[in-house]
Amino acid sequence: MKKSVLFPYFFVVLLSTSCAQQPDLGINLPKTLDFTVETVVEGIQNPWGMAFLPDGGILVSEKSGKLILNKSGKNIEIENVPPVYNRGQGGLLDIELHPKYKENGWIYFSYASSDGDDKGGNTAIMRAKLSKNRLVDQQVLYKAVPNSTRGQHFGSRLEFDRKGYLFFSIGERGDRDVNPQDTKRDGGKIYRINDDGSIPKDNPFVGTKGAKTAIYSYGHRNPQGLTLHPETGELWEHEHGPRGGDEINIIQKGKNYGWPVITYGINYSGTKITDATSKPGMEQPIYQWTPSIAPSGMTFVSSSKYPKWKGNLLVGSLSFQYLERLEIQNNKVVYREKLLDGMGRVRNVRQAPDGYIYVGIEGKGIVKLVPK
C-alpha cells in the first residue's frame, strides 16, 4: 500500500563552506514547494540502484545481493543474479538500462565481484537480459583488478551518454597512494566503454603503453554519483572526500582530478593529507562540501512537474540523512537547500521517465516526491 506524508516546507542547509574559487553562499531564505512523499517500494534495506522499465516496473538493487522487481505494488526477487562480494561498501550496486532497451533488452549492473586469482573482490560491470523474472545472457564487460579484502571505495555508478557510450566509476579501493594517479592500475577512475564492453578508439589512453585503455579520467577517490546535464550533455560526477572535501566535478576526457595530491579534505584522524588544494595540470571541483555530507546518488531536474526546480541538481546525503537541492548558475552552486530532512540515509535519487523524482532511502525503500 502506498503511504503519503506531507512536507509543507524545508530548511536551508547552513553548511556553506565552498572551494577557493567560489564565494561563501551565506544563509538563504528557504524556497518552498509543497509535495507529498509517497512510499513506492518497501522492504529493501539498502536500495543502491534503481531502473525504470517501460512497463512501469522498477528494478531495485539491494546491496546484499538481491535484485528486486517492483511491479503493481508487489516485490519479486529476480533469480540468477551473479554472486557478489558483500563486504563493507561492496555488493550489488548500480543499475542502468541501455538507451535502446525497448529494442535490445540489455540491463547493465555494477557490483563487487570476487572473480579472479586474488582474495577479496573488486568492481565489475555486467550486462544481462530479464526473462520471466530471471537474468539471462549475462556478459561481464569489465572486471577491475587486483582483488582486495579492503571493504571501501568500490564506486560505483553507471551512466550512458548521448552517443551511447557507457561510463562507470570505480573508487580507489582504499589504496590512495597507488591507484588513483596511475593509469596502469584500476581504481580511482571514471571509465568509458562501448555498450558491448569494447574500448572506444578515441579513449584518452588508447596507445599509451601499459595503460588501462577503458580509463576516461583519473585522480578520483570514491565516485558514487554520475549524471548527464540535461542541456549540455556533460557528465557530472560527485565523489566522497575523506574528512571534508566531497567534490562535484564535470568530467573531461583524459583529465586528472587530483586525488590524493590535492584535496580540500583531511585524514579522519585530523592530520593533513597534503598542503595543496590546487596544482597545475589537475582539475578543480566546481563545488566541494566541508564538512563532508557523504554524497550518494545524483540527478538533474528537467521535469515540468517541478517547475521551480528545473535545472537544479539533487544529491543524497548519507552522513546527514537528507536530500540536497542545489541551484546552479554558470556551473557554480549559488544556493543549497535541505529536503527530506531526517528521513534516513539517502542512497540514490533518480528522475524517472514519468517525470517524478524517486529517492532510495536506507531502511525504508523507494519514495516518490509528488507535488501538490
Side-chain angles (χ1 to χ4, degrees):
M1 180 178 294
K2 297 180 179 179
K3 300 177 182 178
S4 298
V5 182
L6 182 63
F7 276 75
Y9 59 87
F10 306 107
F11 296 97
V12 166
V13 178
L14 301 182
L15 310 174
S16 56
T17 304
S18 59
C19 52
Q21 74 271 29
Q22 185 167 314
D24 192 314
L25 297 182
I27 300 175
N28 300 275
L29 294 175
K31 299 179 180 181
T32 63
L33 174 65
D34 290 352
F35 62 83
T36 58
V37 177
E38 183 180 286
T39 300
V40 177
V41 183
E42 295 182 302
I44 297 180
Q45 182 59 35
N46 195 334
W48 221 100
M50 53 178 142
F52 302 89
L53 301 178
D55 64 1
I58 306 175
L59 277 177
V60 184
S61 60
E62 166 68 73
K63 191 187 82 69
S64 65
K66 293 180 180 180
L67 180 63
I68 304 299
L69 172 61
N70 180 269
K71 195 170 183 180
S72 302
K74 296 181 180 180
N75 286 350
I76 303 166
E77 186 172 344
I78 300 301
E79 298 177 354
N80 200 34
V81 176
V84 304
Y85 182 66
N86 183 25
R87 178 183 175 90
Q89 297 167 4
L92 184 58
L93 304 174
D94 210 10
I95 315 173
E96 187 77 8
L97 301 186
H98 192 285
K100 296 182 179 179
Y101 174 79
K102 289 182 180 180
E103 300 172 23
N104 59 38
W106 286 118
I107 306 169
Y108 293 75
F109 302 89
S110 64
Y111 62 104
S113 168
S114 59
D115 288 349
D117 298 329
D118 305 298
K119 292 182 179 180
N122 212 329
T123 305
I125 308 299
M126 181 194 77
R127 70 175 181 175
K129 295 182 179 182
L130 187 61
S131 177
K132 298 179 180 179
N133 299 328
R134 179 180 176 86
L135 290 185
V136 298
D137 298 338
Q138 296 182 13
Q139 300 175 8
V140 176
L141 305 183
Y142 197 90
K143 169 63 172 61
V145 295
N147 287 345
S148 170
T149 56
R150 295 185 179 190
Q152 67 263 49
H153 304 175
F154 291 84
S156 164
R157 290 292 173 191
L158 303 167
E159 187 72 22
F160 277 97
D161 72 359
R162 293 174 179 174
K163 296 180 179 179
Y165 294 119
L166 176 64
F167 290 83
F168 58 92
S169 64
I170 299 179
E172 36 83 308
R173 299 293 282 107
D175 202 350
R176 74 183 190 196
D177 296 324
V178 176
N179 290 337
Q181 289 295 317
D182 189 348
T183 58
K184 296 180 177 65
R185 296 180 62 89
D186 282 312
K189 315 292 193 309
I190 305 296
Y191 300 76
R192 183 180 74 161
I193 58 176
N194 294 315
D195 63 354
D196 63 357
S198 61
I199 305 299
K201 294 180 180 179
D202 63 339
N203 265 13
F205 300 103
V206 169
T208 301
K209 185 178 180 180
K212 300 279 187 176
T213 54
I215 294 172
Y216 193 79
S217 66
Y218 64 108
H220 300 286
R221 188 172 182 267
N222 190 30
Q224 290 190 342
L226 284 180
T227 191
L228 286 189
H229 191 287
E231 296 180 359
T232 68
E234 293 173 314
L235 183 69
W236 286 50
E237 171 255 18
H238 69 55
E239 62 188 78
H240 290 254
R243 184 171 164 184
D246 297 341
E247 297 181 358
I248 299 176
N249 295 296
I250 299 176
I251 299 303
Q252 300 179 68
K253 182 178 178 179
K255 297 292 186 179
N256 181 354
Y257 289 80
W259 175 254
V261 180
I262 61 173
T263 180
Y264 289 89
I266 60 176
N267 286 309
Y268 292 111
S269 64
T271 60
K272 286 185 178 181
I273 296 169
T274 173
D275 290 324
T277 55
S278 65
K279 188 176 180 179
M282 295 183 175
E283 302 303 304
Q284 281 289 299
I286 69 163
Y287 191 79
Q288 66 95 6
W289 288 275
T290 298
S292 169
I293 68 166
S296 186
M298 175 166 66
T299 196
F300 278 100
V301 181
S302 60
S303 169
S304 59
K305 295 186 183 299
Y306 312 88
K308 294 182 180 179
W309 291 1
K310 271 198 171 182
N312 292 180
L313 191 64
L314 300 179
V315 175
S317 169
L318 296 168
S319 290
F320 296 120
Q321 303 189 22
Y322 67 85
L323 180 66
E324 181 162 322
R325 181 174 72 86
L326 303 102
E327 294 183 7
I328 312 289
Q329 293 180 7
N330 299 318
N331 290 342
K332 293 187 182 293
V333 175
V334 297
Y335 178 86
R336 299 170 61 199
E337 191 170 74
K338 184 186 292 188
L339 313 177
L340 307 184
D341 189 16
M343 280 199 72
R345 285 164 53 89
V346 175
R347 174 53 71 181
N348 197 7
V349 55
R350 299 290 299 267
Q351 180 179 289
D354 64 8
Y356 288 105
I357 300 297
Y358 290 74
V359 184
I361 301 176
E362 292 185 8
K364 289 185 171 62
I366 308 294
V367 301
K368 179 169 71 172
L369 309 189
V370 184
K372 291 180 63 179

